[in-house]
Every structure is written in C-alpha cells, then in structure tokens.
Amino acid sequence: MSSLCVPAHVPSVAEDCEQLRKAFAGWGTNEDLIISILGHRNAAQRKLIRQVYAETYGEDLLKALDKELTNDFERLVLLWTLDPCERDAYLANEATKRWTSSNQVLMEIACTRSPKDLLLAREAYHARFKRSLEEDVAYNTHGDFRKLLVPLVSSYRYGGDEVNLTLAKTEAKLLHEKISEKAYNDDDLIRILATRSKAQVNATVNQYKNQFGNDINKDLEADPKDEFLSILRGTIECLICPEKYFEKAIRLAINKQGTDEGALTRVVATRAEIDMKIIKDEYQKRNSVPLDRAIAKDTTGDYEKLLLALIGHEEA
C-alpha cells in the first residue's frame, strides 16, 4: 500500500528527467525540485526515470545525485531511488561489512520481505557484488548469530495463508521446551523460525500463548542484555507483525539523545510503499503524537522535507 501522494497531473518521464537535469544545472542544486519529483513517484516510475535519464544524458541518475547531494539527504535520495531489490542488496551488503551482534538489518530484510522479494534481493546481490548474500553473511557473522542468520537469508518460505494447526500445537510445545531449557540456539527452534511460512509461525506463536499463557517474546526476554535473544524476538516480530517492529525502530531512532538518522532513513525508504500508513497509526497509538510531527521536530532542511514527503504526511 503506497502512502505516496502523486500529483493530479503526472508529468511524463521525459519531463521528469529534464527537470532533474535542470535541478543539477547552474551554481547550486535545486533540492526542492528533486524532492518534488522523486519524492512523489512510485517504484515503477522511479525505475523508468533512471532508465530514460541514462538513455538521454548518458549518465546514471544515481551518479548525478551522488555528485550533487550530501549527508543524510543524499543517503535518503539514493536509497529511495534504487529499485527495492537493489536497495535491499545494498543495505544487506552494508550490514555484512559492518556487522555487530546488535545489528538487526539482515534479520529485518530476511523476515519482512515476501519470499519473492527476498529472492529478488539475493539475485540483485549476486549481480552487484559478484558473491552470494549467503556466503557474505556466513563469512561476516559468527556463533549463534551465524547459525540463525544464514538460514534466514537463504529461506524461500511458502507465502500462502494455509496453516497446519496440529503442527502449530506440536511446534509451540517444542519451542516452549527449548525456551524453558534456555536452549535458544537449538536446531529445531531455528528451523521453525527460518523455514515455516509467516502464517504458520503466527499460528504457532498463538498456540504458544494459548497453551502456556505467555507471549513467546515475553519468555525470550530472560536477559534484556542478550543480543542473540534480542534478534530472536525481532525475528518473530518481523515475521508476524512487522509494523510494530518498524514503529519501535522509528521511535528508538528519534527518541535518542541525537537522532539515529541511519535507522530512520532505512525504515522510511524501505517501508514508504509497503506499510507506512499502518506504521504511522501504530506510532500515533503508542506515542500520542503523529509521526510527521515527531519527524519534523527531530530533523531539518531537505532531509526533513523528503522524509515527510515519503511518509505521506499530507494524509496524516
């Protein structure tokens, strides 16, 4: 579901390219013009703009933007302009190169994309980096994290709604046993989270609560400082309720001493066309403040303008 507001008169792709070229001409860059075009075009339109721009001017639009822009605004524009699967490949590569045990970006991409989208991201990764995502994740992570992340990024889950209730009951019991024993890195626990469909994981988590009275993520909070437990909780949340996970990611990004622009940019660029409306509703419910107001209070300039355009603040 897109939160983007497309103007009533949508100019042709050629017009868009011409306007973007104008935005780069002369002494200064016309950032407002860039925002008014790219901030109001969907993924298919942005892809066409890049294609026509390259054909017309013999230069990749991303290179042109990279030369003209700086800082957080540049990163947001570049991430947004990329095809979704290229963007995921880029973010995943960045996460493998800078991986720490508190970095949840790989898990986030693996668990919140559709099976098809994750496959496309892996193909885009091959094409861009001449390696597989799986091999880079395996090489750059270690221990329990590697044991969880490699199957997560390699997964091709069933994407339908069919659920096996008997299996859900059995696997809920199995998960409860392993969590009670603190066997958080157990092969079966990881197998269930890494291979079952999202609908099946959801059914299993519901059965867990019915049978044992607790949310599974409550039971996985045994040690709040344990980063492996944190990534396990994130895995479950991303599989069954991504909007809650992303609301929290945004809240933590803008409620810190100093904004975490990296997280804010990533969440807005990757969710604007998917579930931003639901994330905004979650945010307002949880914080009693509209998300656009919170972002406006915490950011400035062109970066703020583009963030607000992407979250569709006109609808707020």
Side-chain angles (χ1 to χ4, degrees):
M1 178 198 319
S2 170
S3 294
L4 301 186
C5 301
V6 180
H9 161 65
V10 180
S12 72
V13 176
E15 278 178 84
D16 278 345
C17 292
E18 199 182 315
Q19 289 300 309
L20 285 167
R21 192 72 173 179
K22 269 190 195 153
F24 308 144
W27 285 105
T29 307
N30 187 338
E31 286 88 354
D32 285 340
L33 191 50
I34 293 169
I35 294 166
S36 74
I37 296 169
L38 294 176
H40 298 275
R41 301 292 181 271
N42 65 30
Q45 291 166 327
R46 297 192 305 275
K47 187 175 186 170
L48 264 179
I49 288 170
R50 267 181 76 191
Q51 209 177 313
V52 172
Y53 191 94
E55 287 162 7
T56 312
Y57 302 108
E59 181 181 29
D60 183 350
L61 176 60
L62 290 171
K63 283 215 168 70
L65 290 164
D66 188 35
K67 278 193 300 207
E68 297 291 331
L69 309 176
T70 55
N71 302 331
D72 298 315
F73 178 59
E74 176 189 9
R75 183 171 167 81
L76 181 57
V77 172
L78 292 179
L79 280 181
W80 176 246
T81 309
L82 281 168
D83 248 20
C85 60
E86 287 179 285
R87 185 200 297 139
D88 281 344
Y90 176 83
L91 288 168
N93 179 257
E94 201 176 59
T96 60
K97 287 194 295 200
R98 299 184 195 160
W99 192 80
T100 63
S101 52
S102 63
N103 184 331
Q104 300 202 351
V105 175
L106 292 166
M107 174 281 294
E108 186 182 291
I109 290 170
C111 297
T112 62
R113 304 322 188 235
S114 71
K116 180 81 192 298
D117 287 342
L118 180 57
L119 191 60
L120 289 172
R122 298 208 317 251
E123 286 170 2
Y125 199 99
H126 278 178
R128 179 159 183 174
F129 302 108
K130 313 299 178 228
R131 297 184 304 279
S132 75
L133 174 57
E134 297 86 332
E135 73 179 291
D136 277 0
V137 172
Y139 179 72
N140 289 290
T141 60
H142 49 76
D144 292 345
F145 293 95
R146 179 189 290 158
K147 193 174 175 182
L148 174 68
L149 288 168
V150 172
L152 280 182
V153 299
S154 314
S155 188
Y156 187 71
R157 301 172 193 269
Y158 165 65
D161 295 329
E162 283 78 359
V163 159
N164 180 332
L165 213 51
T166 311
L167 182 66
K169 286 176 181 166
T170 309
E171 293 193 334
K173 190 164 178 283
L174 182 60
L175 288 177
H176 187 259
E177 272 167 29
K178 300 305 173 190
I179 291 169
S180 302
E181 292 161 10
K182 295 190 166 34
Y184 304 121
N185 64 354
D186 177 80
D187 290 348
D188 279 328
L189 185 149
I190 287 172
R191 172 185 58 77
I192 292 164
L193 295 183
T195 63
R196 295 291 183 215
S197 73
K198 294 180 182 186
Q200 187 67 36
V201 172
N202 196 20
T204 302
V205 165
N206 287 337
Q207 284 303 318
Y208 187 103
K209 185 162 191 183
N210 292 347
Q211 290 180 48
F212 307 106
N214 244 1
D215 274 340
I216 188 167
N217 272 3
K218 268 271 177 289
D219 289 347
L220 284 169
E221 270 173 359
D223 177 359
K225 288 195 174 71
D226 185 321
E227 285 173 330
F228 184 66
L229 285 188
S230 173
I231 211 166
L232 276 182
R233 292 195 302 273
T235 299
I236 293 166
E237 200 156 37
C238 282
L239 288 171
I240 64 175
C241 200
E243 56 277 3
K244 283 203 164 132
Y245 171 89
F246 286 116
E247 181 281 323
K248 186 181 178 186
I250 289 179
R251 174 164 31 98
L252 293 177
I254 57 186
N255 284 5
K256 284 184 168 171
Q257 298 301 90
T259 312
D260 179 352
E261 286 88 0
L264 184 57
T265 299
R266 185 182 78 253
V267 175
V268 171
T270 56
R271 306 314 289 181
E273 292 180 287
I274 297 171
D275 52 4
M276 187 50 76
K277 178 86 179 71
I278 309 171
I279 293 168
K280 281 161 63 179
D281 292 345
E282 274 295 322
Y283 190 92
Q284 170 118 27
K285 222 167 33 189
R286 179 89 175 49
N287 307 282
S288 311
V289 176
L291 179 56
D292 61 298
R293 200 183 307 158
I295 284 177
K297 184 167 164 257
D298 228 58
T299 56
T300 55
D302 299 316
Y303 179 56
E304 175 199 341
K305 285 182 201 168
L306 184 55
L307 285 170
L308 293 179
L310 297 190
I311 68 161
H313 69 294
E314 298 90 343
E315 298 173 359

